[in-house]
Amino acid sequence: MSLDVSPALLEQAERGEVDEAAFVDCVRTSLPYAWGMISSLVDRLKADGGEFADNLTPPPNEQARGQLLRALASDAIRGSLERHFGVRLAFQNCHRVAVFPLDPAVDQRLARFTSVRGQLLNQSPELRDC
């Protein structure tokens, strides 16, 4: 799953610094499923409050799964999304994405979510193919 980089954005990268807003827009248009998933979780976190908001529904197809993997496995993409939305992202498997507020009060909950124990407890036979 590659980003659809416009010639203008590629030219920026070749010259040096890239406008992060332009990069985020490239991610938004290139990875619409991942963008929609993350933005809906951010909206839910803002509306409901709490320590985090997460997704438990598997992606509808392999293309959508690939978009999530691409967005969250790339340090550049993940970091830009975190800065854009003002959250911390966590990822446990092919679909369990969570957003955490930038609040030290939830650091322990984030640590539990991203722990080895949390990863193991989130496994099931249905998830072994993802």
Coordinates of all heavy atoms in Angstrom, one line a residue, residues 40-113:
S40 N -12.6 8.9 13.1 CA -13.8 8.5 13.8 C -13.5 8.2 15.3 O -14.3 8.5 16.2 CB -14.6 7.4 13.1 OG -13.8 6.2 13.2
L41 N -12.4 7.6 15.5 CA -12.0 7.3 16.9 C -11.6 8.6 17.6 O -12.0 8.7 18.8 CB -10.8 6.3 16.9 CG -11.0 4.9 16.5 CD1 -9.7 4.1 16.4 CD2 -12.0 4.2 17.4
V42 N -11.0 9.5 17.0 CA -10.7 10.8 17.6 C -12.0 11.5 17.9 O -12.2 12.0 19.0 CB -9.8 11.7 16.6 CG1 -9.7 13.1 17.2 CG2 -8.4 11.0 16.5
D43 N -12.9 11.5 17.0 CA -14.3 12.1 17.2 C -14.9 11.5 18.4 O -15.5 12.1 19.3 CB -15.2 12.0 16.0 CG -14.7 12.9 14.9 OD1 -13.8 13.8 15.1 OD2 -15.2 12.7 13.7
R44 N -14.9 10.1 18.5 CA -15.5 9.4 19.6 C -14.8 9.7 20.9 O -15.5 9.9 22.0 CB -15.5 7.9 19.3 CG -16.5 7.2 20.2 CD -16.6 5.7 19.8 NE -15.6 4.9 20.5 CZ -15.1 3.9 20.0 NH1 -15.4 3.4 18.7 NH2 -14.2 3.2 20.7
L45 N -13.5 9.8 20.9 CA -12.8 10.2 22.1 C -13.2 11.6 22.6 O -13.4 11.8 23.8 CB -11.3 10.1 21.9 CG -10.4 10.4 23.1 CD1 -10.5 9.4 24.2 CD2 -8.9 10.5 22.7
K46 N -13.3 12.5 21.7 CA -13.7 13.9 22.1 C -15.1 13.9 22.6 O -15.4 14.6 23.6 CB -13.5 14.8 20.9 CG -12.1 15.1 20.6 CD -11.9 16.0 19.3 CE -10.5 16.2 19.0 NZ -10.3 17.1 17.8
A47 N -16.0 13.2 22.0 CA -17.4 13.2 22.4 C -17.6 12.5 23.7 O -18.4 12.9 24.6 CB -18.3 12.6 21.3
D48 N -17.0 11.3 23.8 CA -17.3 10.4 25.0 C -16.3 10.7 26.2 O -16.6 10.3 27.3 CB -17.2 9.0 24.7 CG -18.2 8.5 23.6 OD1 -19.2 9.3 23.4 OD2 -18.1 7.5 23.0
G49 N -15.2 11.3 25.9 CA -14.2 11.4 26.9 C -13.6 10.1 27.3 O -13.6 9.2 26.4
G50 N -13.0 9.9 28.4 CA -12.5 8.7 28.8 C -11.0 8.6 28.5 O -10.4 9.5 28.0
E51 N -10.4 7.4 28.8 CA -9.0 7.2 28.7 C -8.6 6.9 27.2 O -7.5 7.2 26.8 CB -8.5 6.1 29.6 CG -8.7 6.4 31.0 CD -8.2 5.3 31.9 OE1 -8.4 4.1 31.6 OE2 -7.5 5.6 32.9
F52 N -9.5 6.3 26.4 CA -9.1 6.0 25.0 C -10.4 5.6 24.3 O -11.4 5.4 24.9 CB -8.1 4.9 24.9 CG -8.5 3.5 25.3 CD1 -8.8 2.6 24.3 CD2 -8.7 3.1 26.6 CE1 -9.2 1.3 24.6 CE2 -9.1 1.9 27.0 CZ -9.4 1.0 26.0
A53 N -10.3 5.6 23.0 CA -11.3 5.0 22.1 C -10.6 4.0 21.2 O -9.5 4.3 20.7 CB -12.0 6.1 21.3
D54 N -11.2 2.9 21.0 CA -10.6 1.9 20.1 C -11.6 1.2 19.2 O -12.8 1.4 19.3 CB -9.9 0.8 20.9 CG -10.8 0.0 21.8 OD1 -11.9 0.4 22.1 OD2 -10.4 -1.1 22.1
N55 N -11.1 0.6 18.2 CA -11.9 -0.1 17.2 C -11.7 -1.6 17.4 O -10.6 -2.1 17.6 CB -11.4 0.2 15.8 CG -12.1 -0.6 14.7 OD1 -13.3 -0.5 14.6 ND2 -11.4 -1.5 14.1
L56 N -12.8 -2.3 17.4 CA -12.8 -3.8 17.5 C -13.4 -4.5 16.3 O -13.4 -5.7 16.3 CB -13.6 -4.2 18.8 CG -13.1 -3.7 20.1 CD1 -14.1 -4.0 21.2 CD2 -11.7 -4.3 20.4
T57 N -13.7 -3.8 15.3 CA -14.3 -4.4 14.1 C -13.2 -4.6 13.0 O -12.5 -3.7 12.7 CB -15.4 -3.5 13.5 OG1 -16.3 -3.2 14.5 CG2 -16.0 -4.1 12.3
P58 N -13.1 -5.8 12.6 CA -12.1 -6.1 11.5 C -12.3 -5.3 10.3 O -13.5 -5.0 9.9 CB -12.2 -7.6 11.2 CG -12.8 -8.1 12.5 CD -13.7 -7.1 13.0
P59 N -11.3 -4.9 9.5 CA -11.5 -4.2 8.2 C -12.3 -5.1 7.3 O -12.3 -6.3 7.4 CB -10.1 -4.1 7.7 CG -9.2 -4.2 8.9 CD -9.9 -5.2 9.8
P60 N -13.0 -4.4 6.4 CA -13.9 -5.2 5.5 C -13.2 -6.0 4.4 O -13.8 -6.9 3.9 CB -14.8 -4.0 4.8 CG -13.9 -2.8 4.9 CD -13.1 -3.0 6.2
N61 N -11.9 -5.7 4.1 CA -11.2 -6.4 3.1 C -9.7 -6.2 3.3 O -9.3 -5.5 4.2 CB -11.7 -6.0 1.7 CG -11.5 -4.5 1.5 OD1 -10.5 -3.8 1.9 ND2 -12.6 -3.9 1.0
E62 N -8.9 -6.9 2.5 CA -7.5 -6.8 2.6 C -6.9 -5.5 2.3 O -5.9 -5.0 2.8 CB -6.8 -7.9 1.8 CG -7.0 -9.3 2.3 CD -6.6 -9.5 3.8 OE1 -5.4 -9.1 4.1 OE2 -7.4 -9.9 4.6
Q63 N -7.6 -4.8 1.4 CA -7.1 -3.4 1.0 C -7.2 -2.5 2.2 O -6.3 -1.7 2.5 CB -7.9 -2.8 -0.2 CG -7.4 -1.5 -0.5 CD -8.1 -0.8 -1.7 OE1 -9.2 -1.2 -2.0 NE2 -7.6 0.2 -2.3
A64 N -8.3 -2.5 2.9 CA -8.5 -1.7 4.1 C -7.5 -2.1 5.2 O -6.9 -1.3 5.9 CB -9.9 -1.9 4.6
R65 N -7.3 -3.4 5.4 CA -6.3 -3.9 6.4 C -4.9 -3.4 6.0 O -4.2 -2.9 6.9 CB -6.3 -5.4 6.4 CG -5.4 -6.0 7.4 CD -5.4 -7.6 7.4 NE -6.6 -8.2 7.1 CZ -7.5 -8.7 7.9 NH1 -7.2 -8.5 9.2 NH2 -8.5 -9.3 7.6
G66 N -4.6 -3.4 4.8 CA -3.3 -2.9 4.3 C -3.1 -1.4 4.6 O -2.1 -0.9 4.9
Q67 N -4.2 -0.6 4.5 CA -4.2 0.8 4.8 C -3.9 1.0 6.2 O -3.0 1.9 6.6 CB -5.5 1.5 4.4 CG -5.6 1.6 2.9 CD -6.9 2.5 2.6 OE1 -7.3 3.4 3.3 NE2 -7.5 2.2 1.4
L68 N -4.5 0.3 7.1 CA -4.2 0.4 8.5 C -2.8 0.1 8.8 O -2.1 0.8 9.6 CB -5.1 -0.4 9.4 CG -6.6 0.0 9.6 CD1 -7.4 -1.0 10.4 CD2 -6.6 1.4 10.2
L69 N -2.3 -1.0 8.3 CA -0.9 -1.4 8.5 C 0.0 -0.4 8.0 O 1.0 0.0 8.7 CB -0.6 -2.8 7.8 CG -1.4 -4.0 8.4 CD1 -1.2 -5.2 7.6 CD2 -0.9 -4.2 9.8
R70 N -0.2 0.2 6.8 CA 0.7 1.2 6.2 C 0.7 2.4 7.1 O 1.8 3.0 7.4 CB 0.1 1.6 4.8 CG 0.9 2.6 4.2 CD 2.3 2.1 3.7 NE 2.9 3.1 2.9 CZ 4.1 3.6 3.2 NH1 4.8 3.2 4.2 NH2 4.7 4.4 2.4
A71 N -0.5 2.9 7.5 CA -0.5 4.1 8.4 C 0.1 4.0 9.7 O 0.8 4.9 10.2 CB -2.0 4.5 8.6
L72 N 0.0 2.8 10.3 CA 0.5 2.7 11.7 C 1.9 2.1 11.7 O 2.6 2.2 12.8 CB -0.5 1.9 12.5 CG -1.8 2.6 12.7 CD1 -2.9 1.8 13.1 CD2 -1.6 3.8 13.6
A73 N 2.4 1.4 10.7 CA 3.7 0.9 10.7 C 4.8 1.9 10.2 O 5.9 1.7 10.5 CB 3.8 -0.4 9.8
S74 N 4.3 2.9 9.6 CA 5.3 4.0 9.1 C 5.5 5.0 10.2 O 4.5 5.7 10.6 CB 4.8 4.6 7.9 OG 5.5 5.8 7.6
D75 N 6.7 5.2 10.7 CA 6.9 6.2 11.7 C 6.5 7.6 11.2 O 5.9 8.4 12.0 CB 8.4 6.2 12.1 CG 8.8 5.0 12.9 OD1 7.9 4.3 13.4 OD2 10.0 4.7 12.9
A76 N 6.8 7.9 10.0 CA 6.5 9.3 9.4 C 5.0 9.5 9.4 O 4.5 10.5 9.8 CB 7.1 9.4 8.1
I77 N 4.3 8.5 8.9 CA 2.8 8.6 8.8 C 2.2 8.7 10.1 O 1.4 9.6 10.5 CB 2.2 7.5 7.9 CG1 2.7 7.6 6.5 CG2 0.7 7.5 8.0 CD1 2.3 6.4 5.6
R78 N 2.6 7.7 11.0 CA 2.0 7.7 12.3 C 2.2 8.9 13.1 O 1.3 9.5 13.7 CB 2.6 6.4 13.0 CG 2.0 6.2 14.4 CD 2.6 5.0 15.0 NE 2.0 4.6 16.2 CZ 1.9 3.4 16.6 NH1 2.4 2.4 15.9 NH2 1.3 3.1 17.7
G79 N 3.5 9.4 13.1 CA 3.8 10.6 13.8 C 3.0 11.8 13.3 O 2.6 12.7 14.0
S80 N 2.9 11.9 12.0 CA 2.1 13.1 11.4 C 0.7 13.0 11.8 O 0.0 14.0 12.1 CB 2.3 13.1 9.9 OG 3.6 13.4 9.5
L81 N 0.1 11.8 11.8 CA -1.3 11.6 12.2 C -1.5 12.0 13.7 O -2.4 12.7 14.1 CB -1.8 10.2 11.9 CG -2.0 9.8 10.5 CD1 -2.3 8.3 10.4 CD2 -3.0 10.7 9.8
E82 N -0.5 11.6 14.5 CA -0.6 11.9 15.9 C -0.6 13.4 16.1 O -1.3 14.0 16.9 CB 0.5 11.2 16.7 CG 0.3 9.8 16.9 CD 1.4 9.0 17.6 OE1 2.6 9.5 17.5 OE2 1.1 8.0 18.3
R83 N 0.3 14.1 15.4 CA 0.4 15.6 15.5 C -0.8 16.2 15.0 O -1.3 17.2 15.6 CB 1.7 16.1 14.9 CG 3.0 15.7 15.6 CD 4.2 16.3 15.0 NE 4.5 15.8 13.7 CZ 5.2 14.7 13.5 NH1 5.6 13.9 14.5 NH2 5.5 14.3 12.3
H84 N -1.3 15.8 13.9 CA -2.5 16.4 13.2 C -3.7 16.3 14.1 O -4.4 17.2 14.3 CB -2.8 15.7 11.9 CG -4.0 16.2 11.2 ND1 -4.1 17.4 10.6 CD2 -5.3 15.6 11.2 CE1 -5.4 17.5 10.2 NE2 -6.1 16.5 10.5
F85 N -3.9 15.1 14.7 CA -5.1 14.9 15.5 C -4.9 15.2 17.0 O -5.9 15.2 17.7 CB -5.6 13.4 15.4 CG -6.3 13.1 14.0 CD1 -5.6 12.3 13.1 CD2 -7.5 13.7 13.7 CE1 -6.2 12.0 11.9 CE2 -8.1 13.4 12.5 CZ -7.4 12.5 11.6
G86 N -3.7 15.4 17.4 CA -3.4 15.7 18.8 C -3.7 14.5 19.7 O -4.2 14.7 20.8
V87 N -3.3 13.3 19.3 CA -3.5 12.1 20.1 C -2.3 11.2 20.0 O -1.4 11.5 19.2 CB -4.7 11.3 19.6 CG1 -6.0 12.1 19.7 CG2 -4.5 10.8 18.1
R88 N -2.3 10.2 20.8 CA -1.3 9.1 20.7 C -2.0 7.9 20.1 O -3.1 7.6 20.5 CB -0.7 8.8 22.0 CG 0.2 9.9 22.6 CD 0.8 9.6 23.9 NE -0.3 9.7 24.9 CZ -0.1 9.6 26.2 NH1 1.1 9.3 26.7 NH2 -1.1 9.7 27.0
L89 N -1.4 7.3 19.1 CA -2.0 6.1 18.5 C -1.4 4.8 19.0 O -0.2 4.8 19.3 CB -1.8 6.2 17.0 CG -2.5 7.3 16.2 CD1 -2.0 7.3 14.8 CD2 -4.0 7.2 16.3
A90 N -2.2 3.8 19.2 CA -1.7 2.5 19.6 C -2.3 1.5 18.7 O -3.5 1.7 18.2 CB -2.1 2.2 21.0
F91 N -1.6 0.4 18.4 CA -2.0 -0.6 17.4 C -1.7 -2.0 18.0 O -0.5 -2.2 18.3 CB -1.3 -0.3 16.2 CG -1.7 -1.0 14.9 CD1 -3.0 -1.1 14.6 CD2 -0.8 -1.7 14.1 CE1 -3.4 -1.8 13.4 CE2 -1.1 -2.3 13.0 CZ -2.5 -2.4 12.6
Q92 N -2.7 -2.9 18.1 CA -2.4 -4.2 18.6 C -2.4 -5.3 17.6 O -1.7 -6.2 17.7 CB -3.4 -4.6 19.7 CG -3.1 -4.0 21.0 CD -4.0 -4.6 22.1 OE1 -5.1 -5.1 21.9 NE2 -3.5 -4.5 23.3
N93 N -3.2 -5.2 16.6 CA -3.2 -6.2 15.5 C -3.8 -5.6 14.3 O -3.8 -4.4 14.1 CB -4.0 -7.4 16.0 CG -5.5 -7.1 16.3 OD1 -6.1 -6.2 15.8 ND2 -6.0 -7.9 17.3
C94 N -4.3 -6.4 13.4 CA -4.7 -5.9 12.0 C -5.9 -4.9 12.1 O -6.2 -4.3 11.1 CB -5.0 -7.1 11.1 SG -6.3 -8.1 11.7
H95 N -6.5 -4.8 13.2 CA -7.6 -3.8 13.2 C -7.8 -3.1 14.6 O -8.5 -2.1 14.6 CB -8.9 -4.5 12.9 CG -9.3 -5.5 13.9 ND1 -8.9 -6.8 13.9 CD2 -10.2 -5.4 15.0 CE1 -9.4 -7.5 15.0 NE2 -10.2 -6.6 15.6
R96 N -7.2 -3.5 15.6 CA -7.4 -2.9 16.9 C -6.5 -1.7 17.1 O -5.4 -1.7 17.5 CB -7.1 -3.9 18.1 CG -7.5 -3.2 19.4 CD -8.3 -4.1 20.3 NE -8.8 -3.3 21.4 CZ -8.6 -3.6 22.7 NH1 -7.9 -4.6 23.0 NH2 -9.1 -2.8 23.7
V97 N -7.1 -0.6 16.6 CA -6.4 0.7 16.7 C -7.0 1.5 17.8 O -8.3 1.4 18.1 CB -6.7 1.5 15.4 CG1 -6.0 2.9 15.5 CG2 -6.2 0.8 14.2
A98 N -6.2 2.2 18.6 CA -6.8 3.0 19.7 C -6.1 4.4 19.6 O -5.0 4.6 19.2 CB -6.5 2.4 21.0
V99 N -6.9 5.4 20.1 CA -6.4 6.7 20.2 C -6.5 7.1 21.7 O -7.5 6.8 22.4 CB -7.2 7.7 19.3 CG1 -7.0 7.4 17.9 CG2 -8.6 7.8 19.7
F100 N -5.4 7.7 22.2 CA -5.3 8.2 23.5 C -5.1 9.7 23.6 O -4.3 10.2 22.7 CB -4.1 7.5 24.2 CG -4.3 6.0 24.5 CD1 -4.2 5.1 23.5 CD2 -4.7 5.6 25.8 CE1 -4.4 3.7 23.7 CE2 -4.9 4.2 26.0 CZ -4.7 3.3 25.0
P101 N -5.7 10.4 24.5 CA -5.4 11.8 24.6 C -4.0 12.1 25.0 O -3.3 11.2 25.6 CB -6.4 12.3 25.6 CG -6.7 11.1 26.4 CD -6.6 9.9 25.5
L102 N -3.5 13.3 24.7 CA -2.2 13.7 25.1 C -2.3 14.2 26.6 O -2.2 15.4 26.8 CB -1.6 14.8 24.2 CG -1.4 14.5 22.8 CD1 -1.0 15.7 22.0 CD2 -0.4 13.4 22.6
D103 N -2.5 13.2 27.4 CA -2.7 13.6 28.8 C -2.0 12.5 29.7 O -2.2 11.3 29.6 CB -4.2 13.5 29.1 CG -4.6 13.8 30.6 OD1 -3.7 13.9 31.4 OD2 -5.8 13.9 30.9
P104 N -1.0 13.0 30.5 CA -0.2 12.1 31.3 C -1.1 11.2 32.2 O -0.7 10.1 32.7 CB 0.7 13.0 32.1 CG 0.7 14.3 31.4 CD -0.6 14.4 30.7
A105 N -2.3 11.6 32.5 CA -3.2 10.9 33.4 C -3.6 9.5 32.8 O -4.0 8.6 33.5 CB -4.5 11.6 33.7
V106 N -3.4 9.3 31.4 CA -3.8 8.0 30.8 C -2.5 7.2 30.4 O -2.6 6.2 29.8 CB -4.7 8.2 29.6 CG1 -6.0 8.9 29.9 CG2 -3.9 9.0 28.5
D107 N -1.4 7.7 30.9 CA -0.1 7.0 30.5 C -0.1 5.5 31.0 O 0.3 4.6 30.3 CB 1.1 7.7 31.1 CG 1.5 8.9 30.4 OD1 0.9 9.2 29.3 OD2 2.4 9.7 30.9
Q108 N -0.7 5.2 32.2 CA -0.7 3.8 32.6 C -1.6 3.0 31.8 O -1.3 1.9 31.5 CB -1.1 3.8 34.1 CG 0.0 4.2 35.1 CD -0.4 3.9 36.5 OE1 -1.6 3.9 36.8 NE2 0.6 3.7 37.3
R109 N -2.8 3.6 31.4 CA -3.7 2.8 30.5 C -3.1 2.6 29.1 O -3.2 1.5 28.6 CB -5.0 3.6 30.4 CG -6.0 2.9 29.5 CD -6.4 1.6 30.2 NE -7.3 0.8 29.4 CZ -6.9 -0.4 28.8 NH1 -5.7 -0.8 28.8 NH2 -7.8 -1.0 28.1
L110 N -2.4 3.5 28.6 CA -1.6 3.3 27.3 C -0.6 2.2 27.5 O -0.4 1.4 26.6 CB -1.0 4.6 26.9 CG -0.1 4.6 25.6 CD1 -0.9 4.1 24.4 CD2 0.5 5.9 25.4
A111 N 0.2 2.3 28.6 CA 1.2 1.3 28.8 C 0.6 -0.1 28.9 O 1.1 -1.1 28.4 CB 2.0 1.6 30.1
R112 N -0.6 -0.3 29.6 CA -1.3 -1.6 29.6 C -1.7 -2.0 28.2 O -1.6 -3.2 27.9 CB -2.5 -1.5 30.6 CG -2.1 -1.6 32.0 CD -3.3 -1.8 33.0 NE -4.4 -1.0 32.7 CZ -4.7 0.2 33.3 NH1 -3.8 0.7 34.1 NH2 -5.8 0.8 33.0
F113 N -2.3 -1.1 27.5 CA -2.7 -1.4 26.1 C -1.6 -1.9 25.2 O -1.8 -2.8 24.4 CB -3.4 -0.2 25.5 CG -4.1 -0.5 24.2 CD1 -5.4 -0.8 24.2 CD2 -3.4 -0.4 23.0 CE1 -6.1 -1.1 23.0 CE2 -4.1 -0.6 21.8 CZ -5.4 -1.0 21.8

